[in-house]
Amino acid sequence: MYKYIIKRILIAIPVLIGITIIDYAIMCMAGSPLEMLQGPRVSEAAVEAKKIALGLDKPFYIQYFVWLGQLLHGNMGYSIKSYQPVSAMIASHLGPTLLLMGVSLIVSLLMAVPSGIYSAIHQYEKGDYAVVTISFLGSSVPGFFLSLLLIYVFTVKLGWLPSSGMTTLGAGGSIGDVAKHMVMPVLVLSFSMAGSNIRYIRSAVLEILQQDYLRTARAKGIGHFRVINKHALRNALVPIVTVIGMEIPALFGGAVIIEQVFSWPGLGLMTMSAITGRDYPVIMGVCLLSAIVVLVANLLTDILYAFVDPTISLN
């Protein structure tokens, strides 16, 4: 196991470097951040001096290696707009994003796993059709549309839930207040993830239920509950773990739009502000963090395979 982990980490390093090169190239092709400063009150000489000070007058590959050298020394750069350290900005916004992602992932699994198992056990029955229909709705309805719908119903019409922010101004940020602000964004993210996961779990359980050893277990008189929850579910965990591993990076990216809609003070809101302002250092810091999340999620998924199914050997 340790050799496999070390091997995967060594492979991930060049992959990570390749991702940063592509991200930096695309970002440079999008235009210079100094174009946002040009106007009647700012002279061309001032813009040129700023360009030289930021090192934007150098070729693309020189800029990239300067950024990479600073990164290797633990410096992710400074924001062009706020002049704050990028690492400090990411650290201050990472907590709300992780909170939103973690709760959404748990809620989606609580929705998807029982629903997928129920749908597989009651195949071609009314309950199965209902669950499958809900799963298609969850995977097909855009997150921003569902967000606006929930805001209209629960904020505009009923006035039950707040529509923006993480806490109420002057409320002190209690757990209940934060939970109240999380209800709608968590529902949107978890409903979207559960819609896709239900179909994967249903297919995995259906495949397992058709195996000969389950027929043998039923023939021996083992109870229906033990057959499903001990034998069938345990062997269906491998594809379920795969789905969860795929959802973590997707959840990290999907939270950007949802945080923007609900003004959630996480990485998504910061990323959108950096993109609109062409804040290169902040964009590269978020892209680097996203790439690390994807690579770590894939590594953890492979490691979980060995714990779920001992017959799998990681070579």
Side-chain angles (χ1 to χ4, degrees):
M1 178 68 73
Y2 293 108
K3 292 181 179 179
Y4 175 79
I5 295 174
I6 294 173
K7 181 181 178 181
R8 285 295 301 271
I9 292 175
L10 293 177
I11 295 174
I13 293 175
V15 173
L16 189 61
I17 293 175
I19 293 173
T20 57
I21 292 174
I22 296 173
D23 289 340
Y24 206 94
I26 294 175
M27 187 178 60
C28 289
M29 288 188 293
S32 172
L34 299 181
E35 295 176 1
M36 311 293 291
L37 301 177
Q38 294 178 353
R41 296 185 178 181
V42 181
S43 62
E44 293 185 3
V47 173
E48 189 65 25
K50 187 72 171 178
K51 185 177 182 180
I52 296 173
L54 295 175
L56 299 177
D57 58 325
K58 299 180 176 63
F60 151 72
Y61 58 91
I62 298 295
Q63 295 182 42
Y64 172 76
F65 281 115
V66 170
W67 174 83
L68 185 62
Q70 293 179 347
L71 181 65
L72 294 177
H73 286 86
N75 180 17
M76 299 181 71
Y78 294 87
S79 170
I80 297 176
K81 300 296 181 180
S82 64
Y83 304 104
Q84 296 179 358
V86 175
S87 57
M89 293 178 64
I90 292 177
S92 63
H93 290 81
L94 185 60
T97 296
L98 291 179
L99 176 63
L100 185 62
M101 287 175 53
V103 175
S104 300
L105 182 61
I106 294 173
V107 172
S108 69
L109 292 177
L110 292 176
M111 295 166 59
V113 174
S115 300
I117 296 174
Y118 174 86
S119 181
I121 296 173
H122 300 84
Q123 187 181 17
Y124 302 134
E125 297 181 6
K126 292 182 179 179
D128 179 28
Y129 290 128
V131 171
V132 172
T133 301
I134 294 174
S135 70
F136 276 113
L137 286 175
S139 57
S140 59
V141 175
F144 69 91
F145 176 78
L146 183 59
S147 301
L148 297 176
L149 181 63
L150 292 178
I151 290 174
Y152 177 76
V153 173
F154 293 104
T155 303
V156 178
K157 287 295 183 181
L158 300 176
W160 291 353
L161 298 172
S163 62
S164 62
M166 185 176 176
T167 57
T168 303
L169 293 177
S174 62
I175 297 177
D177 186 43
V178 174
K180 196 174 181 180
H181 283 77
M182 289 181 62
V183 171
M184 287 195 290
V186 166
L187 279 177
V188 173
L189 289 173
S190 58
F191 185 65
S192 177
M193 286 188 298
S196 302
N197 293 344
I198 286 173
R199 300 202 306 275
Y200 286 112
I201 296 172
R202 178 181 182 273
S203 300
V205 176
L206 278 175
E207 184 179 356
I208 296 299
L209 290 176
Q210 297 173 0
Q211 300 297 321
D212 294 335
Y213 68 89
L214 285 183
R215 297 193 187 98
T216 304
R218 294 192 189 97
K220 289 182 177 180
I222 298 177
H224 181 72
F225 181 83
R226 290 187 62 192
V227 169
I228 298 299
N229 293 278
K230 184 176 181 180
H231 298 280
L233 183 59
R234 176 68 184 272
N235 290 280
L237 281 178
V238 172
I240 293 175
V241 168
T242 303
V243 171
I244 296 173
M246 293 168 55
E247 287 293 347
I248 293 176
L251 180 62
F252 192 83
V256 173
I257 299 175
I258 304 304
E259 287 182 6
Q260 182 73 11
V261 174
F262 290 102
S263 298
W264 187 263
L267 289 175
L269 193 62
M270 185 188 73
T271 303
M272 293 301 296
S273 300
I275 291 173
T276 55
R278 295 182 185 178
D279 199 341
Y280 281 7
V282 177
I283 296 174
M284 283 304 301
V286 175
C287 289
L288 178 65
L289 179 62
S290 302
I292 293 174
V293 168
V294 173
L295 294 173
V296 171
N298 291 333
L299 177 60
L300 291 178
T301 302
D302 291 341
I303 294 174
L304 284 176
Y305 286 155
F307 290 99
V308 171
D309 189 354
T311 61
I312 296 178
S313 59
L314 301 176
N315 295 322

